[in-house]
Amino acid sequence: MLLVRQLFGSSANSWARALIIFVLAWVVLVYVFVTKLTNSQNQLATSENEINARRINHALQLLEHTKQRNEELKQLIDELMSEQLDKQSALKLVQRLQENDAQNPKLNPGEGEPFGINAAPAVNHNWDDLQLMEVGGGGGGSRGIASEANVGSASGGDGNSIPGANAAAGIEPTLEYEFTRRRIQTNIAEIWNYFSSELGKIRKQVSQGSGAANGNADLEEQINQVLVQGAEHKRSLLSDMDRLRQTDGYEAWRHKEAKELSDLVQRRLNYLQNPSDCQNARKLVCKLNKGCGYGCQLHHVVYCFIVAYATERTLILKSRGWRYHKGGWEEVFLPVSNTCHDAGSTNAYNWPGKPNTQVLVLPIIDSLMPRPPYLPLAVPEDLAPRLKRLHGDPIVWWVGQFLKYLLRPQTPTRDFLTTGMRNLGWEHPIVGVHVRRTDKVGTEAAFHSIEEYMTHVEDYYRTLEINGTAVVRRIFLASDDARVIEEARKKYPQYQIVGDAEVARMAAVSTRYTDTALNGIILDIHLLSLSDYLVCTFSSQVCRVAYEIMQTMYPDASHRFKSLDDIYYYGGQNAHNRRVVIAHKPRTHEDLQLKVGDLVSVAGNHWDGNSKGKNTRTNLGGLFPSFKVEEKVDTAKLPLYNEI
């Protein structure tokens, strides 16, 4: 203390005071610097730890993948050696497989990192605010051959894959991979259609032929055994393809991409339908009361909405006096707009009007002239590259998005659906079956027995159980003929048949256009769309609407159906073209000649390995093998809605 007073109290020691102040300041600066450096190092260490953790995680994934590939290669080599293949050829095969593996983008690190039912996939149903809990507390199965709900989990069912890993790392499947995967799945079904049909014809000839009765009976039994074995092989292949989808590492990306695409379209529709200045907004008037049934009217409104989207006009839906509900659409579903409910006092003009026409009135699609290029089956050009990669039938996805916006229920409708599901004891797994009878049969469609539907239901459940998993066999049966439900319950007691005979009775022609019947058809479509698989006739608009809505609940549900008659179509659509990828020489006078690159306008699939259509190059019609063509996705240049 005395030393301090001497230093600071004497002018002679001023240099000492300055030196001490300098030293103290330097110490303070060093302390601050060291403290900040330590904090920075800690932060850097934390960041490096996170990076290292990600690298270690990725390395573990690669090790698991390598282990799986080694097992596959070992098994393949053993099989090849057992077939007396020379070692040099086997080694060449292994080398080729390894080269393919090295080119696999999955192994390249550093490329970048309407109803909630039964653990639904990440993509929401069309009625987002209706969060229905699983009814009955069961579940007892998956939502399909292999559940799509458990996305992003740490491992697959056997612990050898990490489905969410690639999406987290920013790795996406190529268009070629997704297209090829879906094509293989389709062709598995097509080759079975062909062989089962041809063997069925031979069996029929044998059973009706003359000669040794015992010999014919033995041959017929052999054919039956081939069909049984072939069906099991087909189910195994389809199960393997679904397993491939689950474990290829891209499933989380599919869910993410589907959600982002859906959200984008819904934002665009919301922007279009809620202009800030309704009085001066361009509008398109659509009259709901088209002279047809509920499914047909829904498709009419979707067509109007597509035109409104393409022309950047707010859709005005005229629904007062609706034949199903006199109070109009807005008493059943939410209004299509919150800000613009009528066309205003401006003069309205019929289609096509002029570029400066403010209000246009749209006719039904069958009377539309001129016909614009953006009608179904076209999808928006700006979305097409993403949709082609994501979905097996982009137009069905596109139509489903408009239904998602339109079919948002009012509270009473939502409560009715919730109660209806609870009363029916709705659970998964379940196959939706729609049997259309009454006025449809004999005019627009052929009669199909309940046995025809149940053949495909049985095939679905056998595929589900191919690996020994036992599930409760359950169907939801909807019809416009109440007798069908009773018939099914008598003939198939081993199935839990969920259905309401009263709803079916109200769907009859005499009582179809009532509030009760409307509630019934809304419930039927809702439950059909929620099913894991759909068996129906695409000649029915109800079936097609359910299929379209189903697309809003999965990244791609294009394969979750079996139609007993038509392929998917949209009433009033433009031409449905497919591109030839394998040349075809006519086998009979009924066949088409096809060259690679030809476009075939498709009329239908005979479900026997052959389709019917017209070659646009030769202008000739006929049959052709279904597997020799691929879908041509039509696109149209539509507004980009850059405002959102």
Side-chain angles (χ1 to χ4, degrees), residues 221-241:
E221 178 59 26
Q222 291 176 21
I223 294 172
N224 287 335
Q225 289 301 317
V226 171
L227 286 169
V228 169
Q229 185 76 12
E232 188 174 14
H233 194 180
K234 178 212 61 170
R235 296 183 196 112
S236 176
L237 287 171
L238 290 176
S239 180
D240 289 344
M241 288 303 300

Side-chain angles (χ1 to χ4, degrees), residues 247-319:
T247 59
D248 62 7
Y250 300 125
E251 190 66 358
W253 172 85
R254 294 181 187 111
H255 282 259
K256 179 175 178 288
E257 178 73 353
K259 185 178 187 308
E260 289 179 354
L261 273 172
S262 180
D263 289 348
L264 173 61
V265 173
Q266 295 305 306
R267 289 197 305 272
R268 289 180 177 182
L269 296 180
N270 185 69
Y271 172 83
L272 175 68
Q273 286 305 110
N274 294 283
S276 57
D277 182 5
C278 178
Q279 183 176 353
N280 295 310
R282 287 155 42 92
K283 304 180 184 74
L284 185 82
V285 178
C286 178
K287 299 176 182 178
L288 176 59
N289 244 344
K290 183 179 180 180
C292 57
Y294 178 75
C296 170
Q297 290 184 345
L298 281 184
H299 281 137
H300 172 62
V301 178
V302 169
Y303 140 72
C304 292
F305 212 168
I306 290 174
V307 175
Y309 179 98
T311 57
E312 296 183 273
R313 294 175 177 274
T314 300
L315 177 67
I316 305 296
L317 186 61
K318 295 289 187 181
S319 65

Side-chain angles (χ1 to χ4, degrees), residues 184 395 571:
I184 292 172
I395 182 58

